[in-house]
Amino acid sequence: MGLSPMDILNPVGEWVEWLTRPPEIPKKDNALRFGILGAAKIAPQALIIPARSHAEVIIAAVAARDVKKAERFAKKYGIPIVHKTYDDLISDPAIDCIYNPLPNGLHYEWTLKALKAGKHVLLEKPATSNAEEAKDLFRNSLLSGPNAPVLLEARHCQFHPAWHTFLSLFDPKDVEEASARAAIPALLFALDDIRFKYDLAGGTLMDLGTYPLSALRSIFGAEPLSVTSATPRLMPASLDQRCDHAMQAAYSFPDGGVGHLWCDLGSRVRYEKGKGSWWAWLFAGRPDFTTDMPPWITVKLRAKNGLENDLAITTQKTIVMNNFMGPHVWHRIDINTATTYRDTAGEVVREEKHTESKKAYVWPEGQGGDIKGEDFWSTYRYMLEAFVDRVKGRKGSGVWLDGEESIRQMEAIDETYLKAGMALRPTSVELRPLRTAGA
């Protein structure tokens, strides 16, 4: 059996792990003990590495369906305990918190089991398979009352100071149009990857698309009034065509705002005859490592008009955030201002253009509550800080994604799939009997 694309790229991933290795610090006596469900490839980046620089987090245990795989994972990352089953891990009284990076279709079932066992849960995005599951999970009575467990959907990039610096540059009501784009070059994920299994709630909108959709909702500070268009590129005919390999969608927001989303887990160089460059023609059909990376967002603000010395002045601002998903590696926020001066006859007298750039790796003075952060902190490290603060009952940075936010996110995903003429991701069998009994 040949190597998969990810097998070939694993050394690259290990190099990135080494490059981003934070300093390890001693653990406090009251540190939270985490257990990981599954030996997922995202776990080192999302939890294990960030935990090394957190004095109140210990990665204590792991469980996987394949015990041998869990043992190899535990040996590689220095995890002391390997449980034979997910249930054994969840029922371990020495475990305080569960990290759930299982396939999407298993999020609801195993998160609910963890909450019933009194564990705090850091849940990978998307929170659930659909909005029905999200409502049942995040509005569950287990999460209310004193000493209730903490549940957080891990949309990590929204915890980084760079994201909040970006949002601070405009008033959502002034946004005329916004575009959010994220793509992964073809071959990085095999076509038979679990991300493309409908029965496991797969699809690119569910995976990579979670980030640009969440970004648009944050930019407008509101929910879409409607999904005006949604065009999927389905998986190849020989595979599960109930899943999208890419999705383009448009949304209408309050005050006339328009949002555009584009996500692709199989991006390739595209060339249309008579259009594009010789480069596109030469590399057409091959993985695109250039134009789609890094992920970016463009926000166009409504033009502002004024008068000065008998000249009509129109000012138009466009704000671009490069690499909004991984700002800890590198990012840049460009504030582009174009000013046009016209005389009384409406003729253009002169035009001026100006660009100001910003970056933020730690919280600026006066922001971030009790936390300033460190330059090396990743988006996941900032998120882990917020999660631990919430469990410990501390104010922390003040950044949080509550359950209603996660429900609204899943509603927007569902509405996009419906507009695309696609079926919603299937509801967990754990919830279906409850739904039938209550009908």
Side-chain angles (χ1 to χ4, degrees), residues 126-136 138-139 153 155 205-206 213 217 223-224 226-227 251 403-419 424:
T128 56
S129 301
N130 54 47
E132 180 184 12
E133 286 187 357
K135 290 174 184 176
D136 187 84
F138 287 96
R139 293 174 181 169
E153 180 187 4
R155 275 185 266 145
L205 180 64
M206 293 286 288
L213 179 54
R217 294 176 50 249
E223 300 308 308
S226 67
V227 185
Y251 305 85
E404 291 304 309
E405 159 61 27
S406 292
I407 291 171
R408 292 191 295 269
Q409 172 76 0
M410 290 311 306
E411 288 176 334
I413 290 175
D414 283 1
E415 289 163 5
T416 305
Y417 274 128
L418 291 175
K419 184 66 177 182
L424 301 186

Side-chain angles (χ1 to χ4, degrees), residues 3-295:
L3 292 173
S4 73
M6 287 309 294
D7 290 329
I8 297 171
L9 290 166
N10 271 342
V12 176
E14 291 179 0
W15 176 79
V16 171
E17 283 184 27
W18 174 84
L19 186 66
T20 58
R21 188 179 300 272
E24 297 192 37
I25 61 176
K27 304 299 181 180
K28 294 183 178 180
D29 292 339
N30 65 344
L32 298 173
R33 295 173 60 82
F34 275 74
I36 302 174
L37 294 176
K41 288 184 172 67
I42 189 61
Q45 180 183 2
L47 179 63
I48 296 172
I49 293 174
R52 290 171 179 161
S53 66
H54 202 304
E56 295 177 294
V57 175
I58 295 172
I59 309 304
V62 63
R65 293 184 185 277
D66 182 341
V67 176
K68 295 295 184 183
K69 183 178 180 181
E71 289 173 346
R72 291 193 298 270
F73 188 86
K75 182 179 180 180
K76 180 176 180 179
Y77 293 106
I79 302 173
I81 301 170
V82 175
H83 283 292
K84 291 183 178 180
T85 68
Y86 297 157
D87 283 310
D88 289 345
L89 175 60
I90 287 173
S91 61
D92 184 343
I95 296 298
D96 304 300
C97 308
I98 297 294
Y99 171 54
N100 184 354
L102 295 172
N104 303 336
L106 302 178
H107 283 185
Y108 172 86
E109 174 187 356
W110 290 101
T111 297
L112 187 58
K113 286 182 177 180
L115 293 174
K116 288 180 177 179
K119 311 298 186 186
H120 308 288
V121 181
L122 180 59
L123 173 61
E124 263 304 328
K125 58 76 194 163
T128 56
S129 301
N130 54 47
E132 180 184 12
E133 286 187 357
K135 290 174 184 176
D136 187 84
L137 185 63
F138 287 96
R139 293 174 181 169
N140 198 292
S141 59
L142 292 166
L143 297 174
S144 61
N147 301 316
V150 171
L151 173 59
L152 174 65
E153 180 187 4
R155 275 185 266 145
H156 57 97
C157 47
Q158 292 179 257
F159 287 82
H160 197 276
W163 179 246
H164 295 273
T165 296
F166 170 69
L167 293 180
S168 72
L169 298 175
F170 56 87
D171 185 330
K173 293 180 180 179
D174 291 335
V175 178
E176 180 179 331
E177 187 174 4
S179 298
R181 185 181 181 103
I184 301 294
L187 301 183
L188 264 68
F189 293 112
L191 293 177
D192 61 355
D193 190 274
I194 58 170
R195 289 168 176 79
F196 309 123
K197 304 292 185 184
Y198 175 79
D199 292 336
L200 290 174
T204 292
L205 180 64
M206 293 286 288
D207 189 88
L208 186 65
T210 295
Y211 296 111
L213 179 54
S214 180
L216 288 175
R217 294 176 50 249
S218 295
I219 288 165
F220 286 98
E223 300 308 308
L225 298 176
S226 67
V227 185
T228 55
S229 67
T231 305
R233 187 182 76 240
L234 302 179
M235 295 298 294
S238 60
L239 298 167
D240 193 342
Q241 289 203 304
R242 295 173 295 177
C243 287
D244 48 310
H245 205 194
M247 181 73 76
Q248 294 185 58
Y251 305 85
S252 65
F253 284 90
D255 300 312
V258 176
H260 300 279
L261 172 147
W262 189 87
C263 57
D264 193 340
L265 278 176
S267 179
R268 295 179 183 272
V269 176
R270 291 169 176 79
Y271 174 76
E272 186 177 343
K273 189 174 181 180
K275 299 180 181 180
S277 65
W278 66 269
W279 184 94
W281 170 81
L282 183 63
F283 291 96
R286 299 185 182 183
D288 192 348
F289 291 91
T290 57
T291 57
D292 296 330
M293 298 179 70

